[in-house]
Amino acid sequence: ETGVTQTPRHLVMGMTNKKSLKCEQHLGHNAMYWYKQSAKKPLELMFVYNFKEQTENNSVPSRFSPECPNSSHLFLHLHTLQPEDSALYLCASSQPRQSSNEKLFFGSGTQLSVL
Amino acid sequence: RKEVEQDPGPFNVPEGATVAFNCTYSNSASQSFFWYRQDCRKEPKLLMSVYSSGNEDGRFTAQLNRASQYISLLIRDSKLSDSATYLCVVTIYNQGGKLIFGQGTELSVKP
């Protein structure tokens, strides 16, 4: 148990559906992240929040919409996704960005399939 | 050129073998270095940080060569439980501490 909880573990959705991924961390961290992991590819950073403020958006399509209501919770709202968006979506947390020893703690991920 | 590049793998080794993974990074402003381990269908977990002086944790030894911009991970006396994908990770100082992941090297330890 890493202290970062993601739900749901698995999600199957159609291209017209709207769904949300949820992440909660119990580690007292102030930075939270969404990563995408597609088969045989490196982890791709999607969004970064530092102290609830979005500090990075890596050219992610608008069909992915993050929300960070507080330092412990992070959501990823999904709508009108494409089949190529099928991947493992990982949430992570760490001490604030720019710290000299940043280490990530990951949730178990949501395996998303878009039909 | 990829920012972080790892041995393509997969590595298939017998139990008890010694195996080494290499990782190169392209940005000389890279500041911190890590090895993460990812089991099949699971999340990555930090295995160890990599320090300039090198560091050892049991059967695992990590080395950093800043001049050549590469990092290595040595696993001695491989166990079946070491089978996983090993991810090389660097942070880029002049990109706000951004973490860059390599594509991973898969290790399979056989009986």
Side-chain angles (χ1 to χ4, degrees):
Chain A
E1 184 61 51
T2 64
V4 181
T5 305
Q6 277 187 253
T7 55
R9 292 294 301 274
H10 302 275
L11 179 61
V12 180
M13 58 187 290
M15 290 190 283
T16 58
N17 292 157
K18 288 185 180 180
K19 297 286 183 183
S20 295
L21 310 185
K22 179 182 175 182
C23 178
E24 183 175 357
Q25 58 95 2
H26 308 278
L27 300 170
H29 291 159
N30 286 301
M32 296 187 77
Y33 312 75
W34 280 116
Y35 279 87
K36 175 183 178 181
Q37 188 174 35
S38 304
K40 305 296 183 185
K41 288 187 178 180
L43 269 75
E44 300 171 52
L45 179 63
M46 300 175 72
F47 301 105
V48 181
Y49 280 82
N50 253 327
F51 295 94
K52 301 187 301 177
E53 298 297 321
Q54 186 180 127
T55 55
E56 195 156 342
N57 176 338
N58 266 3
S59 304
V60 181
S62 59
R63 56 186 184 269
F64 295 91
S65 175
E67 180 190 357
C68 188
N70 55 60
S71 294
S72 300
H73 293 86
L74 185 65
F75 296 90
L76 187 62
H77 304 299
L78 316 171
H79 64 98
T80 59
L81 294 192
Q82 304 298 312
E84 61 264 28
D85 295 323
S86 299
L88 179 67
Y89 289 85
L90 290 158
C91 172
S93 71
S94 74
Q95 297 298 342
R97 296 296 297 281
Q98 313 272 4
S99 66
S100 61
N101 195 22
E102 180 181 320
K103 298 174 186 174
L104 294 178
F105 293 81
F106 285 90
S108 301
T110 296
Q111 186 63 55
L112 174 67
S113 297
V114 181
L115 305 179
Chain B
R1 183 182 174 188
K2 294 178 184 176
E3 289 187 278
V4 178
E5 193 147 9
Q6 297 186 236
D7 289 334
F11 283 54
N12 296 300
V13 303
E15 266 188 294
T18 295
V19 60
F21 303 136
N22 292 314
C23 170
T24 57
Y25 58 94
S26 59
N27 193 323
S28 59
S30 300
Q31 182 183 26
S32 303
F33 308 88
F34 308 94
W35 284 102
Y36 278 74
R37 169 192 169 133
Q38 186 172 23
D39 292 287
C40 187
R41 300 181 188 277
K42 298 266 184 87
E43 73 276 16
K45 292 184 179 178
L46 180 66
L47 178 66
M48 58 197 304
S49 302
V50 187
Y51 304 119
S52 296
S53 55
N55 49 307
E56 188 173 314
D57 183 3
R59 297 180 294 108
F60 298 83
T61 301
Q63 298 277 353
L64 167 64
N65 185 321
R66 285 189 184 271
S68 302
Q69 295 184 195
Y70 84 78
I71 307 141
S72 64
L73 177 67
L74 183 76
I75 305 176
R76 290 181 299 277
D77 188 23
S78 301
K79 311 292 185 190
L80 297 177
S81 57
D82 294 333
S83 298
T85 296
Y86 290 83
L87 305 171
C88 174
V89 184
V90 308
T91 61
I92 309 297
Y93 176 73
N94 61 5
Q95 293 183 29
K98 182 178 178 179
L99 270 75
I100 307 294
F101 284 77
Q103 79 275 22
T105 300
E106 185 182 342
L107 171 66
S108 180
V109 182
K110 307 290 188 185

